[in-house]
Amino acid sequence: MLTMLVGEGANFAAYAYAPATLVTPLGALSIIFSAVLAHFILDESLHMFGVVGCVLCLVGSVTIVLHAPLEKDFESVMQVWHLATEPGFIIYTVVVLVLVLFLIFWCVPRYGQTHMVVYIGICSLMGSLTVMGVKAVGLALKLSFSGSNQFIYVVTWFFTILVIVFCVMQLIYLNKALDTFNTAVVSPVYYVMFTTLTIVASIIMFKEWDSQNASQIMTELCGFVTILCGTLLLHKTKDMGGSPNSSSPFHPSNRDQGA
């Protein structure tokens, strides 16, 4: 748990130094390390499909890193605030908040226990705004440590409160999803939705692809799709490394009965 806290702290810091379109998809690397460590420490068999899934995640991650957009230089958190108050991102924010309220007050009472997308949709939509707030807070901390205090601005505290409130809301509905549905299904679907919406929000707010050509953008998208394929393959085949199915005709007990 301590290493998880350290890892989340490092992930938080990464948003201050790199674009969200690079940091968020690279979260799939944790899946690779989890699978490999589980193989050696917990004696969980890493079968052929698991190895292929890890390789796909690794290839996709390297592709994104090599073609990621450059991070913009910010001298003040007020610059982030100006980007957040541009018409494009305001429209995105309003749409997200309306959808979240609709899901919470109308869909959850009716479909929350039967449709996994309701809870995951709330977490993913709020998560895309949370990451934008995390990037602003991380930037404020980086600039403050370098000698330019950013906590004199009201917007810095606004972003901080937004991150705290949205993180708590995400935890509440993610826990509901995990309590109601299979974790093996919730995890990959949440990763896909959260990452996709975060990239969309980052593109709208920070316009990170403005400096890239069509070839670089398509290569990044291909890397992202490769990571998604690897993640889904790992989760869909995670139980294939267990003991043979007793219903199989090649199972020892069945062979004995046949004899």
Side-chain angles (χ1 to χ4, degrees):
M1 290 183 68
L2 289 175
T3 58
M4 180 180 290
L5 291 174
V6 173
E8 289 302 319
N11 190 52
F12 178 89
Y15 282 107
Y17 295 92
T21 52
L22 170 63
V23 177
T24 306
L26 290 184
L29 289 176
S30 64
I31 299 173
I32 300 176
F33 287 107
S34 297
V36 174
L37 290 175
H39 175 75
F40 290 104
I41 297 177
L42 303 178
D43 293 327
E44 295 183 4
S45 177
L46 187 62
H47 49 81
M48 181 184 67
F49 291 108
V51 173
V52 173
C54 289
V55 171
L56 286 175
C57 290
L58 185 60
V59 170
S61 299
V62 171
T63 302
I64 289 178
V65 170
L66 293 178
H67 298 85
L70 297 176
E71 171 71 347
K72 294 182 178 180
D73 292 328
F74 293 99
E75 299 178 355
S76 170
V77 73
M78 292 303 299
Q79 293 176 273
V80 181
W81 175 253
H82 291 317
L83 292 175
T85 53
E86 288 187 353
F89 191 72
I90 289 178
I91 293 173
Y92 175 81
T93 303
V94 171
V95 170
V96 167
L97 293 178
V98 169
L99 287 174
V100 168
L101 292 175
F102 173 74
L103 289 172
I104 291 176
F105 293 106
W106 197 85
C107 294
V108 167
R110 294 171 175 80
Y111 308 109
Q113 299 298 313
T114 56
H115 292 73
M116 177 181 59
V117 179
V118 175
Y119 289 137
I120 296 180
I122 295 172
C123 296
S124 301
L125 288 166
M126 297 181 71
S128 66
L129 296 180
T130 304
V131 169
M132 300 304 104
V134 165
K135 190 167 181 64
V137 175
L139 177 66
L141 289 172
K142 182 181 76 170
L143 293 174
S144 297
F145 287 139
S146 63
S148 177
N149 186 13
Q150 299 297 304
F151 287 89
I152 60 175
Y153 299 114
V154 177
V155 296
T156 304
W157 295 103
F158 171 78
F159 282 126
T160 303
I161 294 173
L162 181 145
V163 168
I164 295 173
V165 173
F166 279 14
C167 281
V168 171
M169 293 294 291
Q170 282 178 256
L171 286 174
I172 291 173
Y173 286 98
L174 183 58
N175 280 329
K176 288 184 178 182
L178 293 172
D179 286 341
T180 308
F181 304 99
N182 189 343
T183 304
V185 180
V186 171
S187 297
V189 174
Y190 175 59
Y191 172 78
V192 171
M193 290 184 65
F194 169 73
T195 305
T196 302
L197 289 171
T198 299
I199 290 176
V200 171
S202 181
I203 292 171
I204 295 174
M205 181 171 174
F206 294 101
K207 304 175 179 62
E208 293 168 343
W209 284 352
D210 284 354
S211 60
Q212 293 186 298
N213 55 42
S215 176
Q216 291 174 310
I217 294 174
M218 288 304 300
T219 304
E220 271 194 88
L221 290 175
C222 289
F224 176 53
V225 172
T226 303
I227 291 177
L228 296 186
C229 292
T231 304
L232 293 174
L233 183 62
L234 277 170
H235 281 274
K236 295 295 278 186
T237 61
K238 71 182 185 66
D239 295 325
M240 290 182 62
S243 60
N245 190 347
S246 59
S247 63
S248 170
F250 301 101
H251 194 272
S253 60
N254 289 336
R255 287 203 306 266
D256 294 341
Q257 291 176 0

